[in-house]
């Protein structure tokens, strides 16, 4: 449907500490364009930190993070980079409580300076894509947990990201709803062919991803580096 | 963006309303005092041209022009000057007319140009112990020739109704000078002398010449000067400035406090905006916009309060007899400007704080 091609992600010797805690310890990683990578690991192993550093929400202390070979975040343009390249889905939906589903999906488009009619059109289309066309005018408190997370997915897609970072997107949902949201993410990914990094405890996720990485105490364990990466 | 601002304010509407009220009171004070100064200026303008005169001679350094006292001998000496065509003494009695604190009773020489100039619209000019009533006063109080008007506790017969075209005169009453002096027990005293200039004399230089010739007098030839002559007016303009500064500071701090609190409470939300690609300046604009919106709400309330309150203020200060609050567009405009300034001032710091926030920290706290 879309001819959007995923972004390439490369990390070289990335380190990040919080005081005495080493959250990322010399992490090197390469994710090919369009790849789906599942990340597991026990609590506190550094999964969220890894995603935040990749998405430019946080900065590494050492090493380099390259998206499409470009160290965008090093040039202090984080927000612009996220606007054009990266979509996030978190464990909490983080929808703005006073805004309708439709308006929440429009928020990234406001950030991108899109016109109102264009925003309306795009948001309606995205809500339709996540199966919530009929809930567009409800505020988050009127939506179920699964529906809220679907709105969050629609919002993450608003700027046509080439890299989708999902940090335990189903962590707050029951197993049935979890599966639906996961299905949605993978479906969206398949259609748009973006690169996706997915942090999840769900054992079924591994089988649906191209590759599974495990983090332990800030280090990447299995099959971390694929061919062609230093 | 505007919708987001409105929604965010509505979410904490109680706090927004209280902050707005604080700003509103400040703005109301400014509007009210500006209306008062303007009123003083206008009433001073009325005093300058009493009886169609070119100059008004008052005692210098009095709190307001109606408190002036001049010696009776001054009129003759003024009239004798080459640059003066005519001079006539006046005694202004304020708060004298029962039931009408805003009306001034003028004691004037019946043969002087002040009284002679009045155009009679009803009744006759013949005075004696009777009184003449301005058409505005007659209208509001439904007075007719032959009826009685109580001045300084004395019921006086109304001989006629006049029109002069000068607001002060038309909303007051005129009686013989000596009768007015007798009523208030100020025999031989005058408040002011109305002066008409000789054909060639120019108001400004003549005013200065008279002032030099008669020390202790103040000669007023234009309304601006008249407003400055009253110590009240000077005091009030200074008060307006002081209150504007205080309102800016207090209003600014209160908006700042509200917005800083909102920024802390909504860290997660603001972090989210950054996460979905809002630039720091856009997030800052949202916060600044909320601050300005609150203070604009306040300013709107303040303008209303100020317009209503300025009338009350005039009464409160006990100067309603010669000043009525006068709200001008520029007065309202200045109130609004202060309101906007408060919002910008108060919103700047929280907005700046937002730009320093790292989205990941903000998200972690939500
Ligand atoms: N802002 C922070 N300040 C201090 N320490 C932090 C901060 N963020 C993360 N850490 C620490 O860094 C380590 C890695 O945290 P991270 O959130 O990346 O783990 P995680 O694998 O996502 O865990 P979970 O599965 O519980 O979400 C943890 O020990 C955590 O306590
Ligand atoms: Mg985590």
């Amino acid at each position: 449907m879309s001819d959007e091609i995923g972004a390439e992600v490369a990390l070289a010797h990335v380190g990040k500490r919080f005081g005495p805690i080493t959250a990322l310890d010399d992490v090197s990683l390469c994710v090919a364009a369009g790849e789906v990578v599942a990340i597991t690991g026990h609590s506190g192993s550094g999964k969220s930190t890894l995603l935040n550093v990749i998405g430019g929400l946080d900065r590494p202390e050492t090493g380099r993070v390259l998206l499409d070979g470009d160290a965008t975040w090093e040039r202090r343009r984080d927000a612009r980079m996220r606007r054009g390249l990266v979509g996030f889905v978190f464990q909490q939906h983080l929808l703005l409580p006073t805004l309708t589903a439709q308006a929440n999906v429009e928020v990234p488009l406001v950030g991108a300076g899109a016109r109102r009619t264009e925003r309306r059109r795009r948001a309606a289309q995205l809500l339709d894509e996540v199966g919530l066309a009929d809930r567009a005018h409800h505020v988050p408190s009127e939506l179920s947990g699964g529906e809220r997370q679907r709105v969050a997915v629609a919002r993450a897609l608003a700027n046509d990201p080439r890299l989708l970072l999902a940090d335990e997107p189903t962590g707050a949902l029951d197993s049935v709803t979890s599966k639906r949201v996961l299905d949605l993410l993978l479906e969206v990914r398949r259609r748009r062919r973006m690169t996706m990094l997915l942090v999840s405890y769900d054992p079924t996720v591994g089988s649906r991803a191209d590759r599974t990485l495990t983090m332990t105490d800030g280090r990447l364990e299995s099959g971390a580096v694929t061919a062609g990466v230093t | 963006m505007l919708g987001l601002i409105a929604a965010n304010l509505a979410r904490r509407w109680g706090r927004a309303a209280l902050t707005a009220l604080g700003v509103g009171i400040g703005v109301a004070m400014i509007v009210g005092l500006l209306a008062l100064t303007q009123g003083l200026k206008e009433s001073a303008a009325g005093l300058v041209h009493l009886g169609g005169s070119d100059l008004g001679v008052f005692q210098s350094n009095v709190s307001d022009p109606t408190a002036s006292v001049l010696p009776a001998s001054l009129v003759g000496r003024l009239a004798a000057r080459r640059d003066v065509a005519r001079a006539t003494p006046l005694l202004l009695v304020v708060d004298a007319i029962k039931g009408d604190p805003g009306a001034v009773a003028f004691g004037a020489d019946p043969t002087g140009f002040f009284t002679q100039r009045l155009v009679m619209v009803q009744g006759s000019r013949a005075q004696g112990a009777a009184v003449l009533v301005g058409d505005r006063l007659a209208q509001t109080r439904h007075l007719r020739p032959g009826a009685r008007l109580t001045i300084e506790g004395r019921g006086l017969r109304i001989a006629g109704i006049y029109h002069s075209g000068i607001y002060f005169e038309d909303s007051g009453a005129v009686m013989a000078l000596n009768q007015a002096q007798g009523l208030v027990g100020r025999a031989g005293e005058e408040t002011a002398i109305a002066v008409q200039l000789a054909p060639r004399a120019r108001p400004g230089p003549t005013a200065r010449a008279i002032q030099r010739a008669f020390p202790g007098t103040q000669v007023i030839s234009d309304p601006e000067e008249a407003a400055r002559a009253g110590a009240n007016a000077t005091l009030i303009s200074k008060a307006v400035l002081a209150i504007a500064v205080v309102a800016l500071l207090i209003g600014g701090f209160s908006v700042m406090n509200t917005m800083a609190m909102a920024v802390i409470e909504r860290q997660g939300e603001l972090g989210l905006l950054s996460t979905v690609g809002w630039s720091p300046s856009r997030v800052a604009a949202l916060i600044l916009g909320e601050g300005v919106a609150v203070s604009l709400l306040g300013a709107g309330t303040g303008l209303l309060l100020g317009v209503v309150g300025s009338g009350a203020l005039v009464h409160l200060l006990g100067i309603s007899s010669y000043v009525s609050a006068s709200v001008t567009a520029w007065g309202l405009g200045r109130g609004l400007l202060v309101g906007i300034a408060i919002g910008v001032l108060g919103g700047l710091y929280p907005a700046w704080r937002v730009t320093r926030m790292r989205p990941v920290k903000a998200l972690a706290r939500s």
Side-chain angles (χ1 to χ4, degrees):
Chain A
M1 190 184 136
S2 159
D3 58 352
E4 200 73 65
I5 302 292
E8 198 180 273
V9 180
L11 274 71
H13 308 294
V14 169
K16 174 84 187 174
R17 292 156 61 96
F18 296 102
I21 297 163
T22 304
L24 294 179
D25 186 4
D26 193 32
V27 173
S28 293
L29 164 69
C30 186
V31 179
E35 205 179 354
V36 178
V37 176
I39 300 169
T40 61
H42 60 80
S43 178
S45 58
K47 305 180 297 293
S48 297
T49 308
L50 179 67
L51 251 56
N52 290 340
V53 162
I54 292 172
L57 296 184
D58 211 348
R59 290 186 193 183
E61 271 142 24
T62 57
R64 286 161 64 83
V65 178
L66 307 179
L67 300 184
D68 277 342
D70 197 5
T72 324
W73 55 265
E74 283 175 4
R75 293 187 215 138
R76 279 194 150 274
R77 294 191 310 195
D78 313 357
R80 202 186 306 171
M81 186 265 288
R82 288 194 288 278
R83 184 151 79 226
L85 205 54
V86 188
F88 286 91
V89 183
F90 301 96
Q91 180 172 354
Q92 279 81 31
H93 53 81
L94 298 179
L95 298 177
L96 303 188
T98 52
L99 301 185
T100 61
Q102 160 103 20
N104 264 291
V105 177
E106 284 182 38
V107 166
L109 299 166
V110 172
R115 288 172 163 279
R116 177 193 286 252
T117 47
E118 169 66 7
R119 292 199 314 249
R120 291 269 156 83
R121 197 184 59 74
R122 288 274 299 140
Q125 200 181 328
L126 287 160
L127 283 172
D128 191 36
E129 188 172 348
V130 299
L132 283 179
D134 55 334
R135 313 292 285 157
H137 300 295
H138 291 265
V139 292
S141 61
E142 296 165 355
L143 299 173
S144 73
E147 285 170 338
R148 285 178 212 160
Q149 205 57 317
R150 281 164 181 272
V151 177
V153 170
R155 180 181 61 192
L157 298 176
N159 284 329
D160 281 327
R162 299 170 55 220
L163 171 64
L164 192 62
L165 301 175
D167 190 353
E168 295 182 54
T170 63
L173 305 175
D174 65 67
S175 58
V176 176
T177 320
S178 275
K179 183 171 181 313
R180 286 217 194 108
V181 169
L182 217 54
D183 287 348
L184 171 70
L185 275 169
L186 290 164
E187 160 73 12
V188 158
R189 212 285 324 165
R190 191 183 55 74
R191 223 182 300 147
R192 297 174 170 246
R193 295 196 286 157
M194 71 221 345
T195 308
M196 180 154 96
L197 270 70
L198 176 61
V199 171
S200 179
Y201 287 116
D202 188 331
T204 68
V205 166
S207 63
R208 304 173 73 176
D210 295 331
R211 174 154 69 115
T212 302
L213 306 177
T214 307
M215 287 207 77
T216 311
D217 297 334
R219 289 172 175 277
L220 272 182
E221 289 235 315
S222 59
V225 182
T226 55
V229 176
T230 51
Chain B
M1 186 95 155
L2 286 179
L4 206 53
I5 288 173
N8 286 334
L9 292 184
R11 187 150 37 137
R12 292 270 183 207
W13 67 268
R15 189 161 70 192
L18 282 178
T19 310
L21 188 66
V23 173
I25 290 171
V27 169
M29 288 284 268
I30 291 166
V31 170
L33 286 173
L34 283 175
L36 196 61
T37 358
Q38 182 63 25
L40 280 174
K41 214 172 269 178
E42 281 169 16
S43 57
L47 287 176
V48 170
H49 300 295
L50 280 178
S53 61
D54 299 311
L55 303 176
V57 179
F58 297 88
Q59 182 187 2
S60 62
N61 300 321
V62 288
S63 66
D64 70 71
T66 60
S68 149
V69 178
L70 294 174
S73 61
L74 197 56
V75 175
R77 286 151 71 197
L78 274 172
R81 287 175 64 93
R82 289 244 304 279
D83 46 10
V84 169
R86 286 183 289 182
T88 186
L90 296 175
L91 181 68
L92 274 55
V93 187
V94 297
D95 269 334
I97 299 176
K98 195 179 162 204
D100 224 321
V104 179
F106 297 88
D109 178 358
T111 61
F113 70 85
F114 181 93
T115 309
Q116 291 302 316
R117 190 181 150 276
L118 301 175
V119 177
M120 301 310 298
V121 290
Q122 276 182 59
S124 75
R125 194 182 294 275
Q127 271 191 332
V131 66
L132 304 178
V133 173
D135 54 359
R136 276 172 183 278
L137 182 63
Q139 198 175 8
T140 55
R141 299 281 304 275
H142 309 292
L143 299 173
R144 290 225 189 110
R148 285 189 175 270
L149 181 66
T150 308
I151 299 180
E152 286 287 316
R154 194 91 57 85
L156 299 173
R157 195 178 62 79
I158 296 169
I161 311 291
Y162 63 80
H163 178 77
S164 82
I166 291 171
Y167 181 85
F168 265 100
E169 295 174 31
D170 288 341
S171 47
V174 174
M175 63 186 122
L177 181 62
N178 53 15
Q179 190 189 359
Q181 288 167 337
L183 271 180
V184 294
R186 287 173 65 176
E189 279 183 11
E190 291 149 15
T191 306
I193 295 168
V195 173
Q196 282 184 339
L197 295 180
R200 290 276 167 76
R202 285 182 301 137
T206 312
R208 284 191 289 279
I210 292 175
Q211 219 161 273
R212 268 197 306 277
F214 306 98
T217 64
Q218 176 151 33
V219 184
I220 293 166
S221 58
D222 77 89
E224 284 290 325
E225 208 179 320
R228 280 196 299 275
N232 284 342
T234 318
L235 211 69
I236 289 171
S237 358
K238 279 186 185 152
V240 171
L241 192 67
I243 285 173
V245 170
V246 169
L248 268 175
L249 284 177
I250 293 182
F253 274 117
S254 119
V255 169
M256 189 187 296
N257 187 44
T258 300
M259 291 320 299
M261 230 146 69
V263 165
I264 288 167
E265 281 172 7
R266 284 165 36 207
Q267 274 189 68
E269 228 177 275
L270 298 169
L272 183 275
L273 293 179
S274 168
T275 301
V276 300
W278 280 42
S279 64
S281 55
R282 195 181 285 270
V283 183
L286 176 71
I287 295 301
L288 195 61
E290 285 180 28
V292 170
V294 166
S295 64
L296 270 182
L297 264 174
T301 319
L303 295 187
L304 271 176
L305 272 178
V307 170
V308 176
S310 56
L313 187 67
V314 164
H315 281 279
L316 214 70
L317 293 176
I319 51 176
S320 58
S321 49
Y322 61 96
V323 177
S324 55
S326 169
V327 179
T328 61
W330 176 221
L332 292 177
R334 272 184 285 184
L336 199 64
L337 277 182
V338 169
I340 294 171
I342 286 173
V344 172
L345 214 72
L348 271 179
Y349 171 70
W352 176 78
R353 277 278 300 273
V354 162
T355 65
R356 314 301 304 167
M357 248 162 48
R358 297 291 304 158
V360 68
K361 290 218 178 103
L363 287 175
R365 292 213 187 113
S366 67

